[in-house]
Amino acid sequence: MFDWTERLRTVEPWEMAEGVSAPLGVTWLEEHRAYNFALYSRYATGVTLLFYTEQDPVRPVYQYRLNHLANKTGPVWHCWLPAAALNGATLYAYRVEGPNDPALGHRFDPQKILLDPYASAVFFPPNYSRTACTQPGPTDGQAPLGVLPGQQTSFDWDKNPAPRHTYDTIIYELHVKGFTARANSGVSPEKRGTFAGLVEKIPYLQELGVTVVELLPIHQFDPQEGNYWGYMTLNFFAPHHEYVHGEAQEEFRTMVNAFHRAGIEVWLDVVYNHTSEGNDEGPTYCYRGVDNHSYYLLDPYRGTYLNDTGCGNTLRCPHLAVRGLIMRSLTFWAEQMHIDGFRFDLASIFSRNNDGSINYVDPPLIAEISFLANEVDVRLVAEAWDIGSYQLGRGFPGVNWLQWNGKFRDDVRAFVKGDPGYVGALMSRLYGSDDLFPDDLFDAYRPYQSVNFLTAHDGFCLYDLVAYNKKHNEANGHNNTDGTDDNRSWNCGWEGDEGASAEVLALRRRQVKNYCALLLLANGMPMIVAGDEFMNTQWGNNNPYNQDNEITWLDWELQEKNRDIFRFFKTMIALRKAHPSIGRSRFWREDVRWYGPGGPPDLNYHSHTLAYFLSGASLRDDDLYVMINAYWGDLRFTVQEGRPEEWLRVVDTSLPSPEDIAEPGQETRLDSLDYLVRARSVVVLRRQRSGG
């Protein structure tokens, strides 16, 4: 939280009488034992501050009505109140008056209790009700309230610098609760599903080889909205209360510090494109009642919400009020909580103009976020699309940002599944997707800007990708109509687990290993979803956004049951880290030579094979030779480089564990350049660099 005492300036008498317009939110001034409140609302005609105790969050113990002549500067309402005047209050909220004319974009309702957009913590009264906040009438005692800040306590961060990974980056997407919610997670019962619980799993992540944890949204979201994933943000400053075992900020910082001590970066998946207030029929918690016209993109003729997010509303990102809110939030998490990176949900929304059109050149918010990232040294990752715009690659205006590469997901899935016509696409994805991120003189993109992934929280998990042809989302309550139908999955001959033969189950394991191998052999930054490394299943549900139960909670018994798959992931990650020639800052260019089973690559539409040689000499690394057979029959490949005795077999996904992947020093030397690559398998050879 902002601390005026750090600025070493005096506070003038008129400021103490009227308050000041910046910073927005509530600021505690320890020296004066007073608070300054500032609220942006351009179209409000009246503002009243309300103060409560936790014992009675219904009846205010103090109220203060702001006078626009003294307590308003431009669009900002502000006041200064001594703590002694608040009658022991610890909570606060607003009533905001103004026009209620939805056609013009105004939805002011003085009966609604409103949360400060800049509140640093949120209190939910015992009778909190999303339904009540959706309906007409007062919401006293039923709406979320802000928590008044006190004197800030310092946190003892480690003196060592935060980690920053390059060629060895392994991103691991996880859900804070779902990662440790089950009893078989091995986490202390009182810490399951919390930030503190994650700390207890750090040794596991280190064993696997993770270097970045990307946490699904941890900003405070609406606990009654039904979005388990957390993509319906209520407040952008407070950690979600259900993920906390102790004091929220202290526990979060302790977690980040522990990850840094273990050499692991912490990235946050953040949702600055919409809020939990939903569409026209949604609740009034905060932004809608404070200044609907400023905070949301609206249809200019009807005043209804533009829904480019698919979640009911779209934040008006070019507006100074929204930009200020987002920038303050990012600054807080980067500087006060030591976050290392941000993955921006539906980041294409940031390029929207005030009328909903798209600014492809220089959207102000993207420029400001980019500047902040340079100043505080955090990494930015864009999900470069939304409901109405697909900006992957050069189309996204954040030129230095990393991007989730949905084309990598789609093309590699299709190739491994056995679809025809994908050999050329696979070459592009392995190479680093230079078709999307070209490194010509004008563009000069880098391959590491492509975040390569095969699965994410949204869609099939990796095991379900090889176990189901169709989604099975009945549990979500939408008659299986939700979730994508374009999964590019293949069940290996049997839908689901019940009744599946040993042959089908064995093929699924091989396909999982094939996916793992190709992901970790590709140039770019690989991302793995928690549980994929031991074939966790969601039983075919590809959109479990509202499943806060065993569908989404990781089943750690599978980690023991599928130790062979865990070992493959772990060893494959170590292989990637041991060879910096795979994940480079530049494209492979002259260091790669592409082949087919017996010569040049077979780019025929019906081809399902590819091989390539990757020289490591330019990085003082070993050479690699990779043979990929996605065909349903065995095929003989001829290694096109070197002599047989030079090559060591490191990986053959067709073999049983532990022969499928070798630890360093335990590889098998070839006795011939001819190698039978079994149906649906990947083989990796290594040649030690000269003099190494």
Side-chain angles (χ1 to χ4, degrees):
M1 179 58 62
F2 185 85
D3 186 354
W4 278 6
T5 60
E6 295 180 358
R7 299 183 62 183
L8 299 177
R9 76 166 178 85
T10 59
V11 178
E12 295 300 312
W14 64 265
E15 293 178 313
M16 289 188 281
E18 303 171 354
V20 294
S21 60
L24 292 172
V26 56
T27 304
W28 169 246
L29 296 105
E30 176 69 23
E31 180 182 356
H32 301 278
R33 306 296 297 173
Y35 296 99
N36 187 82
F37 297 87
L39 180 74
Y40 183 100
S41 185
R42 175 167 290 281
Y43 300 99
T45 58
V47 173
T48 302
L49 261 167
L50 310 170
F51 297 92
Y52 306 86
T53 63
E54 292 189 20
Q55 292 72 32
D56 187 356
V58 180
R59 290 172 288 276
V61 293
Y62 183 73
Q63 299 187 44
Y64 184 86
R65 182 170 178 80
L66 281 69
N67 179 346
H68 77 276
L69 294 176
N71 303 123
K72 187 170 185 286
T73 303
V76 179
W77 298 76
H78 51 80
C79 67
W80 173 294
L81 295 175
L86 305 185
N87 297 326
T90 57
L91 309 172
Y92 74 108
Y94 287 94
R95 292 191 193 275
V96 182
E97 302 163 31
N100 192 314
D101 189 345
L104 294 179
H106 302 304
R107 295 175 181 268
F108 292 101
D109 183 351
Q111 290 188 303
K112 294 292 186 271
I113 303 298
L114 301 176
L115 178 69
D116 179 2
Y118 287 84
S120 60
V122 180
F123 176 82
F124 294 95
N127 293 325
Y128 165 69
S129 171
R130 179 180 177 89
T131 301
C133 294
T134 300
Q135 297 171 343
T139 56
D140 301 74
Q142 298 175 300
L145 306 173
V147 179
L148 289 170
Q151 183 176 5
Q152 298 299 299
T153 58
S154 61
F155 183 82
D156 186 16
W157 294 96
D158 284 348
K159 302 302 180 184
N160 296 326
R164 174 60 67 94
H165 297 278
T166 54
Y167 72 90
D168 62 337
T169 299
I170 305 293
I171 306 167
Y172 190 81
E173 187 197 52
L174 67 84
H175 187 282
V176 172
K177 180 175 183 180
F179 196 62
T180 65
R182 288 195 193 227
N184 62 20
S185 67
V187 168
S188 305
E190 70 277 7
K191 296 181 181 179
R192 292 173 193 157
T194 68
F195 301 124
L198 293 186
V199 174
E200 293 191 11
K201 299 299 288 187
I202 286 177
Y204 170 82
L205 297 174
Q206 289 178 301
E207 180 186 3
L208 181 60
V210 170
T211 64
V212 176
V213 290
E214 182 174 299
L215 306 182
L216 265 66
I218 58 87
H219 290 166
Q220 179 65 63
F221 56 89
D222 184 354
Q224 293 183 359
E225 194 278 332
N227 193 299
Y228 161 76
W229 284 340
Y231 285 93
M232 296 299 276
T233 309
L234 172 64
N235 171 276
F236 297 104
F237 297 89
H240 185 62
H241 69 286
E242 292 180 330
Y243 299 162
V244 175
H245 169 63
E247 194 282 322
Q249 292 192 8
E250 178 81 9
E251 181 173 332
F252 188 89
R253 290 186 174 112
T254 299
M255 177 198 70
V256 173
N257 204 34
F259 275 120
H260 285 175
R261 195 180 301 120
I264 298 174
E265 299 177 47
V266 180
W267 297 0
L268 297 185
D269 189 338
V270 289
V271 187
Y272 294 114
N273 57 79
H274 70 279
T275 79
S276 63
E277 289 185 313
N279 60 21
D280 304 73
E281 298 178 355
T284 298
Y285 290 137
C286 178
Y287 317 95
R288 172 177 283 140
V290 169
D291 191 349
N292 187 70
H293 192 280
S294 295
Y295 275 107
Y296 293 117
L297 277 179
L298 306 172
D299 184 302
Y301 303 105
R302 296 178 297 170
T304 54
Y305 296 102
L306 297 183
N307 188 20
D308 292 313
T309 63
C311 298
N313 61 56
T314 304
L315 280 171
R316 191 179 175 188
C317 291
H319 193 279
L320 61 90
V322 177
R323 282 161 37 208
L325 177 71
I326 293 172
M327 296 307 297
R328 268 277 295 280
S329 173
L330 290 171
T331 301
F332 167 75
W333 290 101
E335 293 189 341
Q336 302 299 316
M337 305 301 240
H338 287 205
I339 290 302
D340 306 290
F342 298 95
R343 179 266 186 189
F344 294 88
D345 180 65
L346 301 181
S348 292
I349 292 296
F350 297 165
S351 64
R352 299 282 168 174
N353 292 314
N354 278 309
D355 61 358
S357 61
I358 301 174
N359 180 348
Y360 287 104
V361 181
D362 188 24
L365 180 57
I366 290 178
E368 289 164 2
I369 294 174
S370 300
F371 178 79
L372 173 67
N374 291 334
E375 290 296 297
V376 299
D377 191 27
V378 294
R379 296 205 261 197
L380 308 176
V381 185
E383 183 185 36
W385 56 83
D386 57 46
I387 295 299
S389 175
Y390 195 77
Q391 301 177 2
L392 178 61
R394 281 180 294 183
F396 185 71
V399 294
N400 294 322
W401 294 37
L402 313 179
Q403 296 183 36
W404 269 25
N405 190 344
K407 283 288 290 177
F408 183 97
R409 172 200 61 206
D410 295 344
D411 291 344
V412 177
R413 281 187 180 191
F415 177 85
V416 173
K417 173 176 177 278
D419 289 348
Y422 277 91
V423 173
L426 179 67
M427 293 169 66
S428 295
R429 302 306 148 235
L430 292 171
Y431 186 71
S433 296
D434 64 326
D435 56 334
L436 302 171
F437 303 95
D439 64 342
D440 55 68
L441 178 62
F442 178 77
D443 294 297
Y445 282 96
R446 302 298 191 99
Y448 59 74
Q449 291 182 256
S450 171
V451 174
N452 300 331
F453 68 103
L454 292 167
T455 59
H457 62 277
D458 186 6
F460 278 149
C461 56
L462 189 57
Y463 180 73
D464 290 1
L465 190 65
V466 302
Y468 295 92
N469 282 351
K470 299 179 180 179
K471 65 188 181 185
H472 295 268
N473 297 359
E474 291 81 7
N476 299 348
H478 307 294
N479 297 315
N480 206 33
T481 60
D482 61 308
T484 182
D485 293 312
D486 182 18
N487 297 294
R488 308 194 184 198
S489 63
W490 178 50
N491 63 16
C492 296
W494 190 269
E495 190 75 356
D497 284 349
E498 186 175 354
S501 67
E503 291 77 14
V504 165
L505 295 176
L507 180 54
R508 289 176 182 173
R509 298 178 101 78
R510 185 184 302 184
Q511 289 287 73
V512 165
K513 292 188 289 186
N514 291 336
Y515 279 123
C516 173
L518 294 179
L519 174 65
L520 293 169
L521 288 168
N523 203 358
M525 282 192 179
M527 184 184 82
I528 297 168
V529 173
D532 279 354
E533 71 274 15
F534 52 77
M535 301 202 306
N536 188 68
T537 180
Q538 295 176 160
W539 300 296
N541 194 324
N542 75 351
N543 188 42
Y545 74 97
N546 61 357
Q547 298 301 312
D548 186 2
N549 51 49
E550 292 190 348
I551 291 178
T552 52
W553 300 348
L554 293 196
D555 184 358
W556 288 90
E557 288 183 5
L558 293 173
Q559 198 253 338
E560 186 59 36
K561 177 181 178 182
N562 300 315
R563 290 293 301 182
D564 58 325
I565 300 299
F566 173 79
R567 176 185 175 273
F568 188 90
F569 269 77
K570 168 185 169 181
T571 312
M572 195 70 213
I573 288 171
L575 173 68
R576 179 184 178 91
K577 289 181 174 182
H579 296 289
S581 61
I582 299 175
R584 305 190 185 192
S585 67
R586 294 182 289 175
F587 291 98
W588 292 340
R589 289 192 168 273
E590 65 277 358
D591 283 348
V592 67
R593 290 191 281 275
W594 302 98
Y595 298 109
D602 183 359
L603 299 177
N604 184 285
Y605 177 75
H606 294 289
S607 172
H608 299 276
T609 60
L610 180 67
Y612 64 93
F613 166 79
L614 181 61
S615 171
S618 61
L619 280 82
R620 312 185 91 180
D621 193 7
D622 296 343
D623 299 329
L624 298 176
Y625 198 95
V626 180
M627 296 175 282
I628 309 165
N629 179 15
Y631 186 58
W632 37 92
D634 301 346
L635 294 173
R636 189 164 294 279
F637 282 61
T638 300
V639 178
Q640 302 294 310
E641 302 276 348
R643 303 185 305 275
E645 64 273 14
E646 295 176 335
W647 290 106
L648 300 171
R649 188 189 73 216
V650 183
V651 176
D652 186 337
T653 61
S654 72
L655 299 176
S657 181
E659 288 83 12
D660 54 357
I661 186 166
E663 306 283 349
Q666 298 179 1
E667 304 98 332
T668 301
R669 192 171 300 278
L670 296 192
D671 56 13
S672 170
L673 291 178
D674 289 333
Y675 194 98
L676 185 64
V677 181
R678 299 291 181 180
R680 302 190 187 275
S681 63
V682 176
V683 176
V684 181
L685 309 177
R686 178 178 69 86
R687 181 171 69 181
Q688 191 170 10
R689 67 183 177 91
S690 177

